[in-house]
Amino acid sequence: MSEHQEEMSFWDHLETLRWTLFRCVIALVVFTVGSFVFLKYQFDAVILAPCKSDFVLYKLMCKVTSSVAFLPDFCDESFKVDIVNIKLATQFFIHMSTSFWLAILLTFPYLMYEVWRFVSPALYTHEKRNVRWVFFFGTIMFFVGCAVGYFMVFPMTLRFLATYQLGEIIREQVSIESYMDTFFMMLFIMGIVFELPLLSWLLSQFGLITRSFFNRFRRHAIVILLIAAALITPSSDPFTLACVFFPLYGLYELSALFVKKKKIELDDDDDAEKTEITKYEAD
């Protein structure tokens, strides 16, 4: 703990927290208002873009899957999801709530910076250096996860569910509430999932997990990730399942790289290396 932190009283901490929350609220209000103003002109082009056949993922998948017969068809230009509104005031409230969630998404780096400013006085110098990179890396991974959710996971989920038909006389129409709930749920879930390497690193710093944990439970993790991928994209074809599974499994392996080995594990590796050298010299 730093000297400045030791000199601060409880009321000083409370005052610092109050101003931190105040700045966060101001940033959210400003970005919410800005999102509310510009959202109406970008709603169709960005948020509702996966409802149309010309979405960037569908065009890319069309080029990839068109030459392979057993892969799902993404070249159907007639694909379109009809979004309907039932209640009179729903569109206005969706406009407000969407502006707020977008504000949280856009101000995420600043919110993380405010958290860093609040907790940094309580850290030692070497801890500040490490945590600074943790916040930086965590912010990047959150946005990468949201991008994966927007460009891959949500469109695939939407396309499967929107084209799934229980009966021929049933006409598929998606309510705006259902669409927006699924949209933001996928984005934030993927953003949080991509924080797994950061969480693993933090747990390793506290000595709660080591790299042997990932090696021991790799087979269990593969099964769990397959189930998670099946729940995220409830598609019957293995291609769509694989498109979600492999990024999740990549995060698992990346998390293992961020975790330190136990000292005994390092000693075992050194002993094994010495054994190999001795064997080579004997030969």
Side-chain angles (χ1 to χ4, degrees):
M1 186 176 293
S2 64
E3 296 178 359
H4 175 68
Q5 184 71 10
E6 292 176 349
E7 295 174 357
M8 294 178 65
S9 65
F10 171 78
W11 297 110
D12 292 331
H13 286 294
L14 196 60
E15 182 69 12
T16 303
L17 177 61
R18 186 174 72 87
W19 280 105
T20 299
L21 295 176
F22 177 76
R23 289 190 295 267
C24 290
V25 170
I26 291 297
L28 285 175
V29 170
V30 171
F31 275 83
T32 299
V33 173
S35 299
F36 187 87
V37 172
F38 292 102
L39 182 62
K40 188 174 181 180
Y41 306 100
Q42 300 296 325
F43 198 84
D44 290 345
V46 179
I47 295 180
L48 296 183
C51 296
K52 306 169 187 176
S53 60
D54 60 351
F55 186 63
V56 58
L57 176 71
Y58 305 150
K59 289 183 176 180
L60 177 63
M61 288 299 180
C62 178
K63 295 179 180 179
V64 173
T65 62
S66 58
S67 58
V68 184
F70 62 86
L71 294 180
D73 182 22
F74 285 89
C75 300
D76 183 13
E77 296 184 358
S78 63
F79 172 77
K80 182 182 178 182
V81 179
D82 294 324
I83 307 295
V84 297
N85 177 51
I86 300 175
K87 298 179 182 178
L88 184 62
T90 297
Q91 293 193 67
F92 175 73
F93 287 116
I94 288 291
H95 193 175
M96 293 181 61
S97 62
T98 302
S99 301
F100 173 73
W101 288 113
L102 284 178
I104 292 180
L105 188 66
L106 295 174
T107 58
F108 184 78
Y110 177 74
L111 297 179
M112 290 297 98
Y113 171 72
E114 286 294 341
V115 173
W116 158 250
R117 286 185 58 185
F118 180 73
V119 302
S120 61
L123 303 177
Y124 293 104
T125 303
H126 69 280
E127 292 175 332
K128 290 182 181 180
R129 183 172 58 253
N130 293 334
V131 174
R132 185 183 296 114
W133 285 106
V134 167
F135 276 105
F136 176 75
F137 180 76
T139 301
I140 293 177
M141 292 300 292
F142 178 80
F143 282 118
V144 171
C146 291
V148 171
Y150 175 77
F151 287 104
M152 180 180 293
V153 177
F154 175 72
M156 286 188 172
T157 303
L158 175 68
R159 193 175 181 103
F160 170 76
L161 294 178
T163 56
Y164 186 86
Q165 194 172 21
L166 188 62
E168 294 184 359
I169 64 173
I170 301 176
R171 182 180 177 185
E172 183 72 27
Q173 289 183 325
V174 182
S175 68
I176 184 63
E177 299 102 317
S178 176
Y179 181 89
M180 295 307 301
D181 289 345
T182 307
F183 178 82
F184 280 112
M185 180 182 69
M186 290 296 179
L187 257 64
F188 280 98
I189 283 179
M190 294 308 298
I192 294 172
V193 166
F194 269 67
E195 298 288 346
L196 180 62
L198 172 62
L199 177 62
S200 300
W201 181 85
L202 289 174
L203 292 177
S204 70
Q205 295 301 307
F206 290 105
L208 298 178
I209 59 174
T210 59
R211 192 171 298 180
S212 61
F213 171 86
F214 291 89
N215 297 331
R216 187 181 307 115
F217 294 101
R218 179 171 281 106
R219 289 178 295 178
H220 304 79
I222 291 175
V223 175
I224 294 174
L225 292 177
L226 281 171
I227 296 174
L231 293 175
I232 293 174
T233 56
S235 176
S236 58
D237 64 275
F239 176 75
T240 305
L241 182 67
C243 288
V244 178
F245 167 75
F246 283 110
L248 295 179
Y249 181 71
L251 285 175
Y252 182 86
E253 294 298 339
L254 182 62
S255 300
L257 293 176
F258 274 69
V259 172
K260 297 184 298 184
K261 287 185 177 181
K262 275 175 132 183
K263 188 176 185 304
I264 187 172
E265 293 175 0
L266 295 173
D267 294 341
D268 291 343
D269 291 344
D270 294 339
D271 292 341
E273 185 178 354
K274 291 177 181 178
T275 302
E276 291 294 332
I277 295 175
T278 304
K279 182 180 178 181
Y280 175 76
E281 292 176 349
D283 294 340

